[in-house]
Amino acid sequence: MKYLNYVFIIIGAFVAMYAKKVADQNQYLLIAGIVMLMIGIYRVSKTIPSRNDNEVDSDSEND
């Protein structure tokens, strides 16, 4: 499942770059590439723990 996020990022980036490079830009293709890129980035960032969570845990352990 982790690799699916990276596939979304890579495919989304290539689609967005391809749509931007073509002389006759297809706006829908560009939007689809950006959406895939953002979905991949969002899913990867969900797995990274927040700094605030760590601070709250360490504060409660000191009490």
Side-chain angles (χ1 to χ4, degrees), residues 5 8-9 32-45:
N5 300 335
F8 274 140
I9 292 172
I34 292 172
V35 166
M36 286 182 66
L37 179 65
M38 292 313 229
I39 288 171
I41 292 171
Y42 171 73
R43 290 174 56 135
V44 167
S45 69

Side-chain angles (χ1 to χ4, degrees), residues 15-16 18-20 22-32:
V15 169
Y18 174 76
K20 188 72 175 164
V22 176
D24 182 27
Q25 286 184 353
N26 187 350
Q27 295 296 322
Y28 296 115
L29 189 60
L30 179 62
I31 291 170

Side-chain angles (χ1 to χ4, degrees), residues 2-3 28 39 63:
K2 174 174 74 170
Y3 297 111
Y28 296 115
I39 288 171
D63 290 340

